[in-house]
């Protein structure tokens, strides 16, 4: 193995020095005097060689002033040292009393992943759910959600697949996060930090191709108009088939951004994104005898009608962010977002298990339309001051939101039977049967609107160099109404929610932190996604999530961090169908999740980078939810043990190798524990070669040894087999 040369070691050292300097700038000096440092991003040959940022790349300033700290913090390779998302203030991760995993742009690029589900595969404690083949859906600490997604801290809750073409980093904040993010987020949230106009000159093109006619191109172009106006534009186009028969994907997006330095202490950032995703929905395989039906022989087999199973979304998202530093040191950040989503999907899918004789399986169908428009405004005030020996970072804020839209479901009736069921042979499960879609009484057909007003306050107190405290409280006024378009009846529910947060950080050494935290979050009765608000839901209390956590964070070196956490997460007020009143619920359902997580990110040596960890997650049903979901059952799709580790070895200045390993113990498709999903192990491989100072060639091989496995499920009869060996090629060039 070729030893890395002295010049590379010098760049590593410069990186650590720069990171330390940036973190030092976030101290308790008056904000008006704080230099504003641009986001350290790899450029030119450094990106091509997957090497860390150097000192001279860290500083970008306009003639009239300096930029505020970057949206996502400070990053070196696979390690993020600081972020503002967990506290809404610029806080080093070692001082954040919460388990946070950040998937950096370098890691996303090296692993060749393009979606949220793929990019979180190497995050300890995060499990990918199927999402009915039409949306991102993840399970964090035993809690399943398709709405706990955010962009730069603002809610992005519509059901669709997000692309990472314009993503700077992906942040996974674990445990209830209502103090910062509001409703939901019981197990955690996913926050995308977008690329922004930072004044750096860049011209990057990424070309990708591979198996199943995969074709993708992404561009990233940015520069200065002048010393006070910056621009950047990211774009993507992808057209590909998949390892699943008849399942195709076409998506494209464009995201221009601009930054205006309006004065020495004022910055305005503007962003607009248009994104379109068009694909075939895929609900996977049915079950038989308590297992996925012959999944080793049906990795590619489509059950249902792919020709009548489209899914598409159009998203228009506009954002304006204004930062200002007052003379007295108060920092204000105001962020406004308008987002309009048009989402439709239709699926013809397996609706039953295969019979014991192996001769019949039932096919069902429905479609769903979700149109939603979001208006959000967040205003944060931050002030740093001292009271005697205590140093405070005080945060106060206000969030206003309004969401409106349409939720409509039509169920399918097959032409030959006139019913909602069509029986086919599982050995030949593809059907082209005609279908009539109708809105039946059990299907949603309502318009809705939500008004949100929230206020919050938080204080981070540095007692001394060894002890820090954090405490916060958020109040949410949640006013939701839905109008049934068939009956014209409007139902309304108002919730006033109080979400506390408390934490302590003890630092016996500057590079070692022990922490404890407590947090609470709520999910109103309308659930993760809005649809009909029935009389039963109107009187249902919100679900409650309470998390207690202790952990440790250890900076082995300035570019390597190890973390560990123990947690207990209780979920109460889960709705159970009332056996004595149809359409009404009992709210006595409970689950309890206890677990441990270990994470590692950064440079082990100057030629070996790692990202991954281990999670033990014991998520159980605490009482009887139905005749089949009973106390002691495991929560669906949550394995007891999961281990992931991505390694990148820089064998020379030109050539690097990435080796990834994923291991997951068995789980169950749902909480009734009748369908077992087997454990699996998988290896991934990456090969990287720097053709010259500006161009890198890359090969990624997913599932190197072509293992047959189950990757996720939606229910007992919608089970998705994992991909076989997949090969992707990339050329990354900057000019």
């Amino acid at each position: 193995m070729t030893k890395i040369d002295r010049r590379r070691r010098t760049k590593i050292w410069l990186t650590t020095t720069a990171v330390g300097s940036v973190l030092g700038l976030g101290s308790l000096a008056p904000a008006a005097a704080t230099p504003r440092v641009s986001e350290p991003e790899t450029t030119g040959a450094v990106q091509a060689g997957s090497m860390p940022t150097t000192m001279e790349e860290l500083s970008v300033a306009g003639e009239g002033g300096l930029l505020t700290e970057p949206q996502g913090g400070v990053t070196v390779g696979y390690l993020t040292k600081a972020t503002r998302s967990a506290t809404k203030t610029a806080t080093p991760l070692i001082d954040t009393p919460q388990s946070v995993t950040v998937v950096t742009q370098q890691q996303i690029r090296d692993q060749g992943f393009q979606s949220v589900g793929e990019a979180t595969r190497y995050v300890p404690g995060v499990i990918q759910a199927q999402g009915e083949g039409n949306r991102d859906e993840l399970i964090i600490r035993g809690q399943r959600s398709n709405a706990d997604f955010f962009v730069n801290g603002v809610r992005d809750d519509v059901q669709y697949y997000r692309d990472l073409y314009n993503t700077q980093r992906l942040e996974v904040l674990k445990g209830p996060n209502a103090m910062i993010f509001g409703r939901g987020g019981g197990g955690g949230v996913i926050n995308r930090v977008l690329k922004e106009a930072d004044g750096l000159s860049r011209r990057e093109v990424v070309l990708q191709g591979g198996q199943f006619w995969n074709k993708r191109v992404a561009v990233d172009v940015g520069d200065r108009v002048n010393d006070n106006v910056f621009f950047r534009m990211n774009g993507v186009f992808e057209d590909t088939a998949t390892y699943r028969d008849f399942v195709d994907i076409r998506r494209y997006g464009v995201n221009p951004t601009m930054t205006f330095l309006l004065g020495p202490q004022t910055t305005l950032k503007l962003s607009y994104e248009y994104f379109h995703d068009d694909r075939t929905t895929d609900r996977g395989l049915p079950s038989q005898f308590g297992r996925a039906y012959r999944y080793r022989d049906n990795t590619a087999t489509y059950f249902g009608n792919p020709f009548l199973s489209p899914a598409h979304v159009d998203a228009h998202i506009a954002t304006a962010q204004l930062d200002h530093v007052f003379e007295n040191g108060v920092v204000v950040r105001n962020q406004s977002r308008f987002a309009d989503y048009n989402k439709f999907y239709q699926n013809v899918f397996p609706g039953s298990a295969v019979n014991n004789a192996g001769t019949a399986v039932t096919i069902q169908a429905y479609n769903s339309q979700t149109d939603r428009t979001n208006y959000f405004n967040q205003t944060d005030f931050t002030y740093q001051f001292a009271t005697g020996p205590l140093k405070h970072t005080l945060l106060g804020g206000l969030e206003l939101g309004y969401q409106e839209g349409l939720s409509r479901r039509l169920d399918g009736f097959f032409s030959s039977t006139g019913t909602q069921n069509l029986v086919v042979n599982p050995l030949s499960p593809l059907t082209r049967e005609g279908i009539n879609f109708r809105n039946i009484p059990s299907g949603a057909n309502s318009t809705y609107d939500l008004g949100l007003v929230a206020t919050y306050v938080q204080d981070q107190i540095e007692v001394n160099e060894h002890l820090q405290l954090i405490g916060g409280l958020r109040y949410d006024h949640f006013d939701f109404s839905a109008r049934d378009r068939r009956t014209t009846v409007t139902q309304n529910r108002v919730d006033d929610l109080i979400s506390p947060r408390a934490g302590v950080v003890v630092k016996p050494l500057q590079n070692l932190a022990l922490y404890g935290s407590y947090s609470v979050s709520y999910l109103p009765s309308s659930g993760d996604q809005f649809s009909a608000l029935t009389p039963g839901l109107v009187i249902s209390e919100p679900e409650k999530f309470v998390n207690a956590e202790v952990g440790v964070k250890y900076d082995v070196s300035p570019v390597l961090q190890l973390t560990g956490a123990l947690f207990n997460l209780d979920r109460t007020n889960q709705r159970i169908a009332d056996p004595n009143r149809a359409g009404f619920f009992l709210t006595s359902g409970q689950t309890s999740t206890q677990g441990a997580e270990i994470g590692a990110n950064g440079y082990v040596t100057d030629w070996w980078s790692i990202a991954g960890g281990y999670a033990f997650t014991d998520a159980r049903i605490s009482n009887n939810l139905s005749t089949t979901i009973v106390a002691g059952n495991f929560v669906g799709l949550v394995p007891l043990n999961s281990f992931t580790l991505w390694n990148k070895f820089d064998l020379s200045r030109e050539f690097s190798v990435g080796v990834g390993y994923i291991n997951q113990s068995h789980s169950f498709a749902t909480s009734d524990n009748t369908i077992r999903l087997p454990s699996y192990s998988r290896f991934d491989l990456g090969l990287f070669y720097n053709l010259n100072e500006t161009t890198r060639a890359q090969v990624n091989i997913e599932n190197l040894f072509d293992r047959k496995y189950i990757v996720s499920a939606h229910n007992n009869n919608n089970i998705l087999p994992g991909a076989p060996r997949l090969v992707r090629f990339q050329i990354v060039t900057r000019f």
Side-chain angles (χ1 to χ4, degrees):
M1 182 180 296
T2 304
K3 188 175 182 180
I4 304 301
D5 60 27
R6 188 171 300 170
R7 180 183 172 192
R8 177 173 169 82
R9 288 198 177 115
T10 300
K11 285 198 172 189
I12 294 277
W13 180 83
L14 286 172
T15 300
T16 62
T17 305
V19 169
S21 300
V22 171
L23 295 182
L25 295 173
S27 66
L28 290 166
T34 301
R36 305 177 186 177
V37 182
S38 73
E39 185 151 0
E41 230 179 80
T42 49
T43 59
V46 179
Q47 174 69 22
S50 68
M51 294 167 62
T53 307
T54 57
M55 175 74 81
E56 63 269 22
E57 292 162 345
L58 283 171
S59 181
V60 174
E63 186 177 283
L66 299 170
L67 287 172
T68 55
E69 92 282 342
Q71 285 276 13
V74 181
T75 294
V76 185
Y78 295 167
L79 175 65
T80 292
K81 298 286 289 185
T83 178
R84 73 183 319 272
S85 301
T87 60
K88 284 185 175 286
T89 64
T91 303
L93 282 182
I94 197 171
D95 296 334
T96 303
Q98 180 181 2
S99 180
V100 180
T101 300
V102 180
V103 184
T104 68
Q105 186 189 45
Q106 187 67 61
Q107 184 180 339
I108 292 170
R109 175 66 54 80
D110 288 347
Q111 292 176 331
F113 292 148
Q114 315 294 355
S115 67
V116 171
E118 292 176 324
T120 54
R121 286 178 181 173
Y122 281 87
V123 176
V126 177
I127 304 300
Q128 185 178 4
Q130 185 197 98
E132 296 184 276
N134 70 77
R135 61 180 180 261
D136 291 322
E137 189 162 336
L138 298 176
I139 300 169
I140 308 175
R141 291 190 171 178
Q143 313 305 318
R144 180 169 171 173
S145 176
N146 51 55
D148 293 321
F149 297 94
F150 293 78
V151 175
N152 293 347
V154 181
R155 190 171 295 275
D156 177 40
D157 56 1
V158 171
Q159 299 175 330
Y160 70 107
Y161 283 112
R162 297 150 180 87
D163 195 282
L164 302 182
Y165 76 99
N166 60 345
T167 300
Q168 184 64 31
R169 58 181 57 82
L170 201 63
E171 301 173 334
V172 183
L173 300 100
K174 301 171 188 175
N177 283 274
M179 164 57 213
I180 299 297
F181 294 96
R183 70 181 189 269
V189 303
I190 306 294
N191 183 51
R192 285 183 296 150
V193 178
L194 300 188
K195 300 174 183 178
E196 61 185 31
D198 52 14
L200 295 177
S201 177
R202 67 186 81 238
R203 309 285 190 274
E204 179 185 84
V205 178
V206 182
L207 299 174
Q208 177 181 293
Q211 284 179 276
F212 305 107
W213 299 100
N214 175 251
K215 303 172 289 297
R216 179 183 171 97
V217 58
V219 297
D220 184 355
V221 178
D223 213 329
R224 298 186 178 205
V225 177
N226 56 46
D227 286 339
N228 296 299
V229 180
F230 311 152
F231 79 90
R232 188 172 185 177
M233 188 182 73
N234 283 269
V236 68
F237 175 81
E238 181 174 359
D239 187 1
T240 184
T242 71
Y243 69 97
R244 299 280 293 157
D245 289 344
F246 309 105
V247 177
D248 301 312
I249 301 170
R250 174 178 288 232
R251 52 186 170 182
Y252 47 87
V254 60
N255 181 201
T257 65
M258 295 197 73
T259 298
F260 301 87
L261 304 185
L262 303 181
Q265 297 168 304
T266 307
T267 303
L268 174 65
K269 300 175 182 178
L270 301 179
S271 171
Y272 165 75
E273 179 184 13
Y274 170 68
F275 181 71
H276 173 85
D277 186 284
D278 194 346
R279 65 179 65 212
T280 309
T281 60
D282 180 13
R283 299 278 288 266
L285 313 177
S287 64
Q288 186 188 40
F289 305 132
R291 299 289 188 272
Y293 173 70
R294 298 178 57 184
Y295 69 90
R296 291 184 175 86
D297 301 321
N298 289 295
T299 298
T301 306
Y302 195 98
F303 280 70
N305 187 341
F307 312 108
L308 291 180
S309 297
H312 59 80
V313 65
D314 286 287
H316 298 266
I317 305 173
T319 305
Q321 178 180 310
L322 181 67
D323 296 324
H324 181 73
V325 182
F326 290 96
E327 294 299 328
N328 61 2
V330 174
V331 181
V332 62
R333 167 168 290 180
N334 179 276
Q335 189 172 190
S336 298
R337 174 163 299 151
F338 165 82
D340 184 71
Y341 308 87
N342 292 295
K343 165 72 185 294
F344 175 84
Y345 71 92
Q346 182 168 287
N347 44 188
V348 186
F349 60 96
S352 75
V354 175
N355 66 353
N356 291 344
T359 58
V361 62
T362 299
I363 301 298
Q364 296 178 339
Y366 77 92
N367 65 43
S368 176
Q369 180 181 354
T370 301
D371 298 334
R372 183 174 303 166
T373 303
N374 291 346
Y375 308 85
F376 287 107
N377 178 270
Q378 294 180 358
T379 304
D380 298 329
F381 297 90
T382 306
Y383 183 59
Q384 296 177 325
F385 63 96
T387 55
L390 305 181
K391 300 177 181 179
H392 301 260
T393 300
L394 184 65
L395 167 75
L398 172 69
E399 180 173 357
L400 303 175
Y402 181 74
Q403 299 179 260
E404 61 180 349
L406 166 69
S407 177
R408 185 177 68 167
R409 169 175 167 144
L410 305 181
D411 285 84
F413 291 78
F414 293 93
S415 300
S416 61
T417 67
T419 70
Q420 294 177 255
N421 297 318
L422 176 70
V423 177
V424 300
N425 189 328
L427 298 179
S428 181
L430 190 72
T431 175
R432 297 175 183 266
E433 182 76 20
I435 307 173
N436 297 310
F437 289 91
R438 307 174 196 165
N439 181 229
I440 61 178
S442 61
N445 188 358
S446 63
T447 57
Y448 57 81
D449 62 83
L450 164 70
L452 169 70
V453 178
T455 60
Y456 43 88
V457 62
Q458 173 185 272
D459 194 9
Q460 294 169 263
I461 305 172
E462 183 180 336
V463 179
N464 54 46
E465 62 180 357
H466 301 296
L467 178 62
Q468 300 173 24
L469 306 174
I470 183 172
L473 199 66
R474 180 182 177 115
Y475 164 75
D476 283 278
H477 177 76
F478 188 90
D479 187 348
F480 180 70
S481 65
R483 177 181 180 272
D484 191 311
R485 300 202 303 173
R486 294 161 300 195
T487 65
T488 71
V489 173
T490 298
Q491 301 283 351
N492 178 264
R493 178 177 174 92
V494 175
D495 288 293
D496 294 296
L497 308 175
I498 303 292
S499 304
R501 170 187 187 171
V504 58
V505 178
V506 178
K507 300 181 73 174
L509 302 171
Q510 280 300 106
N511 63 333
L512 175 65
L514 309 174
Y515 72 86
S517 68
Y518 173 86
S519 59
V520 177
S521 184
Y522 293 91
L523 181 65
S525 59
S526 52
D528 273 343
Q529 296 292 336
F530 311 132
S531 58
L533 190 59
T534 65
L537 291 175
V538 167
I539 63 174
S540 296
E541 292 298 313
E543 294 187 44
K544 183 178 181 180
F545 305 82
V546 179
N547 184 74
E549 179 176 336
V550 295
V552 58
K553 299 182 181 183
Y554 177 43
D555 285 345
V556 181
S557 74
V559 288
L560 177 63
Q561 186 172 88
L562 304 180
T563 62
L566 301 172
F567 66 89
N568 184 89
L569 174 57
D570 292 323
R571 180 177 185 174
T572 56
N573 291 349
Q574 283 187 274
R575 293 185 296 276
I576 305 171
D578 189 335
N580 300 314
R581 290 195 302 168
F584 287 80
F585 305 91
L586 305 175
T587 56
S588 55
Q590 300 179 25
T591 64
S592 179
T593 304
Q594 297 177 331
E597 297 169 354
I598 299 173
N601 290 82
Y603 287 88
V604 180
T605 69
D606 57 4
W607 50 268
W608 177 18
S609 306
I610 62 172
Y614 165 76
F616 170 80
T617 311
D618 188 3
R620 303 280 187 134
I621 304 298
S622 299
N623 59 359
N624 297 340
L625 302 182
S626 69
T627 56
T628 57
I629 303 177
V630 297
N633 279 14
F634 290 99
V635 173
L637 295 181
V638 183
L640 269 177
N641 299 282
S642 60
F643 175 80
T644 63
L645 185 63
W646 172 264
N647 305 267
K648 186 181 180 185
F649 305 99
D650 296 321
L651 305 183
S652 70
R653 289 192 60 81
E654 291 78 25
F655 183 60
S656 302
V657 176
V659 179
Y661 177 68
I662 299 175
N663 176 269
Q664 186 173 299
S665 62
H666 79 270
S667 60
F668 296 94
T670 66
S671 297
D672 65 14
N673 289 187
T674 58
I675 306 300
R676 181 185 173 106
L677 308 181
S679 62
Y680 72 88
S681 295
R682 193 188 89 184
F683 284 91
D684 298 331
L685 180 68
L687 303 173
F688 316 97
Y689 187 77
N690 297 323
L691 301 175
N692 53 49
E693 288 294 306
T694 61
T695 304
R696 181 173 86 166
Q698 175 176 334
V699 179
N700 288 97
I701 306 176
E702 179 182 321
N703 191 9
L704 179 64
F705 298 110
D706 201 23
R707 294 291 301 272
K708 305 291 186 181
Y709 68 101
I710 297 297
V711 67
S712 66
H714 179 66
N715 56 36
N716 284 342
N717 293 300
N718 293 171
I719 304 169
L720 187 65
R725 183 188 298 114
L726 289 178
V727 181
R728 298 282 187 266
F729 306 91
Q730 279 190 0
I731 293 291
V732 183
T733 184
R734 292 190 172 189
F735 52 91

